Amino acid sequence: MSRSKELADRFLSHARTFSWGYATTELLTVLDRPVSLKLHKPFSMRLMHMKERYIMHWARSFFREEIERYHNHTAMASQISSPNAPVWLCWLQGIDQAPELVQLLIAQTRRQSGSHPVRIITLENYNDYVTLPHDFIAKYESGKMPQQQFADVLRSALLAQHGGLWVDTSVYLSQPIPESVFSSPIYNVKNILPNRTREAVACDFTKWQAYFIASQPKSITYSFITDCFLKYWRHYDTLIDYFLFSYLAKIARDDLPGGRAEFNMIPDNNPECEWLCDYLMDGSPYSARTYNQIRDGDTFVYKLSTKCDFPTRTKEDMPTMASFLFDNLRGNN
């Protein structure tokens, strides 16, 4: 399917399901991104805020029963020892089908997980670990649910049912994962510095990200989010927004006293987790000083991307930081 037909189909689906106004705003935000990147300017915050206001108003109305049901749930104690909490990774097609960078990052996550068991979720084994309704699975298998959304629901349900830590396979962990991540009621990167382009992609981008999230079993936050996801897909056949997860997390911490308490227990952390991807894309030369800061600094979670180009040689034909970093992951340094 061509990109233009995909956008037209999504516009019509959103217009019929939600409103013509929302469909127009959502389309404009999508069209703004390539233009902004070409002009080297930030994405439009005005469009983002328009879309956010619509989605938050719609979500608070649609999920009103879930908000009321979880409103009086009390957050658990501040720290709970969880030495056997799992680390969840996911590549639905199977790790053997993953790009080399993903395989290198998975191996690095294994090394940094200490004694915590690492579970890799695939299409072949996900139902060994998580229980989801048949009608939800049918939506995915019929093609009505995007694969990204299926993975979002998997991570939320795994945390709600079993607890542990979800790490995206595009995350580089420069240091061992602290035990405080596993013992907190919930954990996520918090109050991070924005990267060059994506601050206006999702609501509260710097407060919460889905690529590194942890929870105790039955936390208010991820139990609520999972229930909302399942309700959404019982009623709809089209995804309102790629970052629906972010909006549900915002409602959990803004509208649920227990969810707010869980979120407030998380200290600010990993301030530069979005910086490294930009740095590697720039083709910056290897610097021992910078590498030591990456390895030993106050950020241990770095979000990379399999969709970005990371040059391995500078214009002067010197090795870049990306070349050194990835060779180190291969064990070549």
Side-chain angles (χ1 to χ4, degrees), residues 9-23 54 58 62 232-233 235-241:
D9 288 349
R10 185 164 69 184
F11 175 83
L12 292 173
S13 177
H14 284 171
R16 289 191 296 264
T17 306
F18 302 107
S19 75
W20 288 96
Y22 173 72
Y54 179 91
W58 163 84
F62 183 72
Y232 181 93
W233 287 104
H235 287 78
Y236 293 109
D237 291 334
T238 185
L239 180 61
I240 188 171
D241 186 74

Side-chain angles (χ1 to χ4, degrees), residues 84-102:
N84 298 315
V87 175
W88 304 103
L89 297 164
C90 179
W91 195 264
L92 290 174
Q93 292 75 24
I95 188 173
D96 292 342
Q97 302 301 314
E100 183 198 18
L101 178 57
V102 167

Side-chain angles (χ1 to χ4, degrees), residues 245-264:
F245 205 163
S246 296
Y247 290 98
L248 295 178
K250 179 175 176 61
I251 292 176
R253 62 180 175 267
D254 286 357
D255 293 22
L256 305 178
R260 187 181 313 119
E262 289 177 342
F263 182 75
N264 287 342

Side-chain angles (χ1 to χ4, degrees), residues 256-311:
L256 305 178
R260 187 181 313 119
E262 289 177 342
F263 182 75
N264 287 342
M265 292 181 205
I266 307 169
D268 293 353
N269 66 86
N270 291 286
E272 296 186 327
C273 68
E274 292 278 341
W275 161 81
L276 185 59
C277 191
D278 287 342
Y279 185 76
L280 297 183
M281 283 193 295
D282 287 341
S284 302
Y286 167 71
S287 158
R289 180 180 179 182
T290 302
Y291 177 72
N292 289 337
Q293 291 174 342
I294 294 170
R295 185 187 62 188
D296 302 324
D298 59 358
T299 293
F300 65 91
V301 177
Y302 291 99
K303 177 66 170 72
L304 303 183
S305 173
T306 58
K307 299 177 182 179
C308 295
D309 181 28
F310 300 123

